Amino acid sequence: MTNNRLIERLPKAELHMHLEGSLEPELMFELARRNNVSIPFESVDEVRAAYEFSNLQEFLDIYYQGMAVLQRPADFEDLTLAYCRRAHADRVRHVEVFFDPQGHTKRGVSMDTVVQGITGGLERAREELGLSSQLILCFLRHLDEADAFETLREAEPYLEHIAGVGLDSSEVGHPPSKFARLFAECGKHGLRRVAHAGEEGPPEYVWQALDELEVERIDHGNRALEDSALVDRLVDSAMPLTVCPLSNLKLCVVDDMQAHPLRTMLDRGLNASVNSDDPAYFGGYMNANFAAVAQSLALEPSHLGELAANSFRSSWLSDAQKQPFLDEIDLIVTEFTAV
Ligand code: ADE
Ligand code: ZN
């Protein structure tokens, strides 16, 4: 069996995926037609050709533009279900997905439309695929604190559908501390907390996410490796890092995949998992991300099993829900290494 066969067989949880980043060009065109929205591209190929980025901001500019085709609940439902089907085909068995409501409310699409559509898609995925899910509302960090508080207020009627909150968008210049009061308020609402940190931003932003936002996962965390005291803190607390290899390559966080820090993270005892971030923009879903690091970093079957196990351990499933997946992973890796 090749590593790719092992990757295909391992059950996985996806913990870092932006639903709007799963908008494939084909669906973008279909929704543009359906909603009579004009997009600045002539063809699917032209869209794909535009996906060359030299940093996070260049990607975000195109990502926010792409969202314009999402108008009605059915659009959000189709987007969500399409992602779930694609993830399920990669043996993803549980997802905790992000959405960016401010990217929609800013252009006149209501919170109700967005949440109704996404929860409809997740419900259909649960029925059709047996895929379990949780939903994470992300605040856009380039907008101000007042805008984020207003978004939290708009989300209040829907909190039964929202497990937690996150922090995304342009990192440098927008430190976690900007949202300390907001995250404290989210905590009072019983919302779980995660934040993007250390993707482009310095280790200091990871410290702030831990100490000032009290997050229970760090999304990305690559630059934490620059600070050994921070690495010790992350190792000692088994803090999950939701790492996104193809995203890091496409956004030039790493120069090439051989230079990706994932193997170093595992060797240092960090609790890292593999995720696809914005798969429609970065060239691959879960298994493509696994395959890229498996090959470029010469990962052993035990590493692949550890990454899959970390994804469930770091998820918000109960211990009783996690255990069958962890047992299955153990069995598959043992069988794989015995042949
Ligand atoms: N929004 C969508 N993808 C993102 C990423 N990789 N970093 C920050 N914000 C994002
Ligand atoms: Zn992300």
Side-chain angles (χ1 to χ4, degrees):
M1 263 199 290
T2 63
N3 262 348
N4 281 351
R5 182 73 194 104
L6 174 61
I7 292 165
E8 281 165 20
R9 284 192 60 197
L10 287 169
K12 294 158 236 74
E14 177 137 75
L15 309 177
H16 182 162
M17 206 296 299
H18 305 259
L19 280 169
E20 296 89 344
S22 70
L23 178 60
E24 291 288 348
E26 288 80 2
L27 183 58
M28 191 189 290
F29 270 90
E30 188 185 324
L31 297 181
R33 254 195 315 274
R34 195 196 277 180
N35 294 324
N36 212 7
V37 173
S38 77
I39 49 175
F41 301 106
E42 291 293 326
S43 67
V44 162
D45 287 345
E46 205 183 292
V47 179
R48 288 225 161 80
Y51 292 174
E52 289 295 333
F53 315 110
S54 46
N55 55 44
L56 173 59
Q57 192 59 52
E58 282 185 17
F59 155 69
L60 290 170
D61 293 341
I62 288 210
Y63 166 82
Y64 294 124
Q65 203 176 74
M67 290 181 195
V69 301
L70 296 161
Q71 298 276 337
R72 294 180 298 185
D75 306 337
F76 288 92
E77 183 168 326
D78 290 351
L79 173 75
T80 303
L81 186 57
Y83 160 70
C84 290
R85 286 180 178 148
R86 185 62 192 76
H88 186 262
D90 281 0
R91 243 183 125 65
V92 171
R93 292 295 177 257
H94 175 70
V95 298
E96 295 177 4
V97 287
F98 297 131
F99 73 116
D100 282 336
Q102 288 154 298
H104 311 301
T105 53
K106 279 269 161 291
R107 52 188 183 81
V109 174
S110 71
M111 183 71 80
D112 187 70
T113 293
V114 178
V115 176
Q116 199 192 314
I118 292 174
T119 53
L122 293 177
E123 197 43 51
R124 282 182 65 191
R126 195 178 302 270
E127 286 162 11
E128 188 183 299
L129 309 165
L131 182 74
S132 59
S133 57
Q134 306 219 20
L135 186 56
I136 304 172
L137 182 160
C138 267
F139 297 103
L140 300 183
R141 67 202 304 158
H142 68 275
L143 300 177
D144 62 23
E145 186 198 38
D147 204 302
F149 266 108
E150 172 63 13
T151 301
L152 176 60
R153 201 190 54 73
E154 286 170 0
E156 270 170 26
Y158 308 99
L159 291 186
E160 65 179 304
H161 300 294
I162 298 171
V165 294
L167 188 64
D168 66 356
S169 195
S170 323
E171 186 181 9
V172 174
H174 302 286
S177 57
K178 181 175 164 185
F179 298 98
R181 288 186 298 197
L182 173 76
F183 270 55
E185 184 64 24
C186 291
K188 285 188 201 145
H189 280 88
L191 289 161
R192 309 185 78 137
R193 287 157 284 175
V194 299
H196 284 54
E199 180 184 19
E200 287 188 343
E204 170 60 19
Y205 286 18
V206 179
W207 285 108
Q208 285 184 15
L210 298 173
D211 291 333
E212 299 189 40
L213 304 187
E214 299 186 38
V215 297
E216 53 183 294
R217 291 199 294 251
I218 296 286
D219 296 313
H220 295 293
N222 299 46
R223 291 197 58 195
L225 290 175
E226 295 168 26
D227 178 339
S228 63
L230 176 57
V231 172
D232 290 344
R233 162 90 181 264
L234 295 168
V235 170
D236 291 347
S237 56
M239 179 61 60
L241 304 184
T242 62
V243 177
C244 305
L246 290 173
S247 165
N248 293 158
L249 187 63
K250 273 298 243 188
L251 301 187
C252 305
V253 168
V254 295
D255 294 333
D256 58 64
M257 203 51 102
Q258 269 99 347
H260 196 279
L262 185 64
R263 190 176 174 134
T264 308
M265 288 172 165
L266 294 180
D267 290 346
R268 289 284 268 112
L270 287 161
N271 175 12
S273 60
V274 169
N275 302 269
S276 66
D277 206 6
D278 301 281
Y281 291 88
F282 300 151
Y285 288 77
M286 177 63 87
N287 286 359
N289 276 273
F290 259 92
V293 281
Q295 182 172 8
S296 297
L297 306 177
L299 297 185
E300 302 289 335
S302 58
H303 290 123
L304 301 174
E306 186 182 350
L307 289 164
N310 286 347
S311 73
F312 286 104
R313 286 193 202 106
S314 305
S315 76
W316 297 338
L317 290 171
S318 68
D319 289 346
Q321 288 168 318
K322 289 174 188 180
Q323 199 55 51
F325 291 115
L326 297 174
D327 292 344
E328 189 184 347
I329 291 165
D330 263 352
L331 207 68
I332 291 169
V333 174
T334 308
E335 197 185 300
F336 187 86
T337 39
V339 288

